[in-house]
Amino acid sequence: MKLTTPPLAPNTLQTLQKLGIATLADLRAQGAAASFLLLKAAGLTLTRSTLWQLAALEQHTTPQALGEAEKAALLEAVRTHPPVAVFPPQAEMEHFMRAALAQAAQSAAMGEIPVGAVVVHRGNIIAAAHNTCVADHNISHHAEIRALAAAGAALQNYRLDQCDVYITLEPCSMCSSALMQARVRRVVYGAAEPKSGAAGSVVNLFAEPRLNPHSAVKGGILAAECRALLQDFFRQRRQK
């Protein structure tokens, strides 16, 4: 069933459609709290009534039927929700992920675990890096840490709140913490890391409210290509 106006305001409905939330199934998959936050991230000025409308649609009821306890729970869900952002179009994200993949290939050629990262500021790559832990004898020289350092030098500011970071592999706890400390706006990664991923696979530090998170996260961009590069690397290592 498609979302309509009424009950939603025309600008709310139009923005939801641009965000890919056009049907009741889309709304339920996203959730009322996340949809409300996405609308705010898209630039709409909203009141609580919009949140009540979204929740009522999700529950197939009316805003008037929502009790005070339900409304309080919704407000708490919004307050504690992980950071939300409107991400770039798929083609744009894939473009920058390919740049990160090129960096990862450099790591593979050096015998390093192939992970690459690029930092994007206002549509331009301002830093690119890959793993050099083995070559530098430094466990902190993951692609993300090196890319953040280069971006900070380029902007003369360690806070990168206007930047996006593209990484071929889900960041570990060390790198996830650094990305949050840098106030990175959006983190986009390729392949999931089931053994040490800290963006949802093992733990999700970006969703931990006690850490005062700032970065919205999206995974799965060119995941197959990112995963294949890693698999080829470890296959060749086992053969040797």
Side-chain angles (χ1 to χ4, degrees), residues 2 6 11 13 39 44 79 84 95 111 135 143 155 164 167 175-176 179 193 206 215-216 224-225 231 234 238:
K2 287 187 176 181
N11 62 335
L13 179 62
L39 287 168
L44 291 190
R79 188 185 71 81
V84 165
H95 168 74
L155 296 178
D164 299 335
I167 316 155
C175 294
S176 295
L179 290 161
E193 172 46 277
F206 296 95
S215 309
E225 293 182 38
Q231 290 172 338
F234 286 112
R238 285 193 299 270

Side-chain angles (χ1 to χ4, degrees), residues 170 173 196-205:
E170 180 183 356
S173 56
S196 61
S201 289
V202 176
V203 66
N204 191 350
L205 294 182

Side-chain angles (χ1 to χ4, degrees), residues 93-114:
M93 290 190 288
E94 290 183 0
H95 168 74
F96 290 123
M97 189 59 74
R98 292 195 189 283
L101 274 165
Q103 287 292 316
Q106 293 185 45
S107 283
M110 296 171 59
E112 303 268 0
I113 295 175

Side-chain angles (χ1 to χ4, degrees), residues 41 70 89 100 110 112 119 156 167-168 224:
E70 288 178 285
M110 296 171 59
E112 303 268 0
V119 181
Q156 290 295 285
I167 316 155
T168 58

Side-chain angles (χ1 to χ4, degrees), residues 81-143:
H81 199 281
V84 165
V86 178
F87 283 83
Q90 184 74 15
E92 182 178 331
M93 290 190 288
E94 290 183 0
H95 168 74
F96 290 123
M97 189 59 74
R98 292 195 189 283
L101 274 165
Q103 287 292 316
Q106 293 185 45
S107 283
M110 296 171 59
E112 303 268 0
I113 295 175
V115 179
V118 297
V119 181
V120 177
H121 178 253
R122 296 178 181 174
N124 298 305
I125 295 175
I126 61 168
H130 52 84
N131 277 5
T132 60
C133 298
V134 177
D136 297 341
H137 313 294
N138 191 327
I139 193 58
S140 72
H141 282 196
H142 284 198

Side-chain angles (χ1 to χ4, degrees), residues 13-30:
L13 179 62
Q14 185 178 30
T15 305
L16 283 171
Q17 290 171 340
K18 289 180 179 178
L19 293 168
I21 307 172
T23 68
L24 181 57
D26 296 332
L27 175 62
R28 285 175 173 163
Q30 193 71 244

